[in-house]
Amino acid sequence: MNTDSEPTRAGIVNQMRARGAWNPLWDKLDEWDPAWTEQFMATAMQPWQSGVLDPKVIELLCIAVDASATHMYAPGVRRHIRAALELGVTRAEILEVLKLATLVGIHACNIGVPILAEELAAREQRTGD
Protein backbone atom coordinates (compact mmCIF):
# COMPACT_ATOMS: atom_id res chain seq x y z
CA MET A 1 0.00 0.00 0.00
CA ASN A 2 1.15 3.53 -0.62
CA THR A 3 1.97 5.79 2.27
CA ASP A 4 2.06 9.56 2.20
CA SER A 5 5.83 9.45 1.60
CA GLU A 6 5.51 7.19 -1.46
CA PRO A 7 4.60 8.48 -4.90
CA THR A 8 1.05 7.78 -6.05
CA ARG A 9 0.99 5.06 -8.66
CA ALA A 10 -1.24 5.48 -11.68
CA GLY A 11 -2.76 2.53 -13.47
CA ILE A 12 -5.37 -0.19 -13.39
CA VAL A 13 -4.96 -1.03 -9.69
CA ASN A 14 -5.70 2.53 -8.62
CA GLN A 15 -8.61 2.75 -11.07
CA MET A 16 -10.04 -0.44 -9.58
CA ARG A 17 -9.65 0.95 -6.07
CA ALA A 18 -11.32 4.22 -7.04
CA ARG A 19 -14.39 2.54 -8.50
CA GLY A 20 -14.74 -0.06 -5.73
CA ALA A 21 -13.65 -3.02 -7.85
CA TRP A 22 -10.60 -3.81 -5.72
CA ASN A 23 -10.58 -6.87 -3.47
CA PRO A 24 -8.80 -5.97 -0.21
CA LEU A 25 -7.45 -9.54 -0.12
CA TRP A 26 -5.11 -8.40 -2.92
CA ASP A 27 -3.53 -5.61 -0.82
CA LYS A 28 -0.55 -7.66 0.37
CA LEU A 29 0.13 -9.00 -3.13
CA ASP A 30 0.09 -5.43 -4.44
CA GLU A 31 2.39 -4.31 -1.63
CA TRP A 32 4.89 -7.10 -2.26
CA ASP A 33 4.86 -7.05 -6.07
CA PRO A 34 3.09 -3.99 -7.45
CA ALA A 35 4.45 -4.41 -10.98
CA TRP A 36 3.15 -7.97 -11.31
CA THR A 37 -0.19 -7.05 -9.71
CA GLU A 38 -0.61 -4.15 -12.14
CA GLN A 39 0.15 -6.40 -15.13
CA PHE A 40 -2.21 -9.12 -13.89
CA MET A 41 -5.05 -6.67 -13.29
CA ALA A 42 -4.47 -5.04 -16.68
CA THR A 43 -4.89 -8.48 -18.26
CA ALA A 44 -7.98 -9.19 -16.17
CA MET A 45 -9.56 -5.91 -17.33
CA GLN A 46 -9.15 -6.73 -21.02
CA PRO A 47 -12.76 -7.87 -21.51
CA TRP A 48 -14.00 -4.39 -20.54
CA GLN A 49 -11.37 -2.59 -22.58
CA SER A 50 -11.41 -4.68 -25.76
CA GLY A 51 -15.02 -4.02 -26.67
CA VAL A 52 -15.41 -7.57 -28.01
CA LEU A 53 -18.10 -8.56 -25.51
CA ASP A 54 -21.09 -6.47 -24.55
CA PRO A 55 -20.68 -5.08 -21.00
CA LYS A 56 -23.87 -6.92 -19.98
CA VAL A 57 -22.30 -10.23 -21.01
CA ILE A 58 -19.11 -9.43 -19.12
CA GLU A 59 -21.06 -8.64 -15.94
CA LEU A 60 -23.08 -11.86 -16.28
CA LEU A 61 -19.88 -13.86 -16.68
CA CYS A 62 -18.39 -12.15 -13.63
CA ILE A 63 -21.51 -13.01 -11.62
CA ALA A 64 -21.14 -16.65 -12.66
CA VAL A 65 -17.47 -16.76 -11.70
CA ASP A 66 -17.90 -14.99 -8.36
CA ALA A 67 -20.97 -17.07 -7.41
CA SER A 68 -19.51 -20.42 -8.45
CA ALA A 69 -18.81 -23.05 -5.81
CA THR A 70 -15.09 -22.87 -6.50
CA HIS A 71 -14.94 -19.12 -5.90
CA MET A 72 -17.92 -17.86 -3.81
CA TYR A 73 -16.86 -14.21 -3.50
CA ALA A 74 -19.95 -12.39 -2.22
CA PRO A 75 -18.61 -8.81 -2.55
CA GLY A 76 -17.88 -9.47 -6.23
CA VAL A 77 -21.30 -11.06 -6.80
CA ARG A 78 -22.94 -7.98 -5.26
CA ARG A 79 -20.79 -5.54 -7.26
CA HIS A 80 -21.42 -7.34 -10.56
CA ILE A 81 -25.16 -7.80 -9.94
CA ARG A 82 -25.42 -4.09 -9.20
CA ALA A 83 -23.46 -3.23 -12.36
CA ALA A 84 -25.52 -5.66 -14.45
CA LEU A 85 -28.78 -4.17 -13.21
CA GLU A 86 -27.50 -0.68 -14.02
CA LEU A 87 -26.76 -1.88 -17.56
CA GLY A 88 -30.32 -3.16 -17.95
CA VAL A 89 -29.83 -6.87 -17.28
CA THR A 90 -33.06 -8.37 -16.00
CA ARG A 91 -33.68 -10.29 -12.80
CA ALA A 92 -34.54 -13.35 -14.90
CA GLU A 93 -31.22 -13.17 -16.78
CA ILE A 94 -29.23 -12.89 -13.55
CA LEU A 95 -31.20 -15.72 -11.98
CA GLU A 96 -30.46 -17.95 -14.99
CA VAL A 97 -26.74 -17.21 -14.61
CA LEU A 98 -26.90 -18.06 -10.90
CA LYS A 99 -28.68 -21.32 -11.70
CA LEU A 100 -26.05 -22.17 -14.30
CA ALA A 101 -23.28 -21.36 -11.82
CA THR A 102 -24.69 -23.97 -9.44
CA LEU A 103 -23.81 -26.64 -11.99
CA VAL A 104 -20.14 -26.22 -11.06
CA GLY A 105 -21.01 -27.81 -7.71
CA ILE A 106 -22.36 -30.97 -9.35
CA HIS A 107 -18.79 -32.24 -9.43
CA ALA A 108 -19.05 -32.90 -5.71
CA CYS A 109 -21.69 -35.51 -6.57
CA ASN A 110 -19.78 -36.76 -9.62
CA ILE A 111 -16.82 -37.51 -7.36
CA GLY A 112 -18.51 -38.19 -4.05
CA VAL A 113 -21.40 -40.50 -5.01
CA PRO A 114 -19.23 -43.15 -6.72
CA ILE A 115 -16.77 -43.06 -3.81
CA LEU A 116 -19.66 -43.41 -1.36
CA ALA A 117 -20.99 -46.39 -3.33
CA GLU A 118 -17.53 -48.01 -3.37
CA GLU A 119 -17.00 -47.45 0.34
CA LEU A 120 -20.47 -48.77 1.22
CA ALA A 121 -19.78 -51.88 -0.88
CA ALA A 122 -16.35 -52.33 0.76
CA ARG A 123 -17.86 -51.91 4.22
CA GLU A 124 -20.56 -54.44 3.40
CA GLN A 125 -17.89 -56.94 2.33
CA ARG A 126 -15.91 -56.34 5.53
CA THR A 127 -18.85 -56.54 7.90
CA GLY A 128 -21.08 -58.94 5.97
CA ASP A 129 -24.07 -56.56 6.22
Side-chain angles (χ1 to χ4, degrees), residues 46-80:
Q46 277 300 294
W48 283 273
Q49 296 171 346
S50 71
V52 173
L53 295 174
D54 185 280
K56 291 179 182 181
V57 172
I58 297 169
E59 294 300 341
L60 289 169
L61 289 168
C62 288
I63 292 167
V65 169
D66 281 346
S68 71
T70 57
H71 194 64
M72 297 191 330
Y73 181 59
V77 173
R78 181 177 305 282
R79 184 175 70 245
H80 291 296

Side-chain angles (χ1 to χ4, degrees), residues 3-93:
T3 65
D4 291 335
S5 63
E6 295 175 334
T8 303
R9 188 176 85 217
I12 294 292
V13 168
N14 285 338
Q15 291 172 21
M16 292 174 72
R17 283 189 169 116
R19 69 174 195 272
W22 182 255
N23 179 342
L25 296 173
W26 301 329
D27 285 344
K28 187 57 74 177
L29 176 62
D30 187 43
E31 178 185 328
W32 287 348
D33 198 339
W36 185 90
T37 304
E38 182 70 26
Q39 290 172 343
F40 177 82
M41 294 304 165
T43 300
M45 294 297 105
Q46 277 300 294
W48 283 273
Q49 296 171 346
S50 71
V52 173
L53 295 174
D54 185 280
K56 291 179 182 181
V57 172
I58 297 169
E59 294 300 341
L60 289 169
L61 289 168
C62 288
I63 292 167
V65 169
D66 281 346
S68 71
T70 57
H71 194 64
M72 297 191 330
Y73 181 59
V77 173
R78 181 177 305 282
R79 184 175 70 245
H80 291 296
I81 285 177
R82 186 177 296 132
L85 290 169
E86 289 174 9
L87 290 169
V89 176
T90 67
R91 179 182 66 186
E93 290 169 319

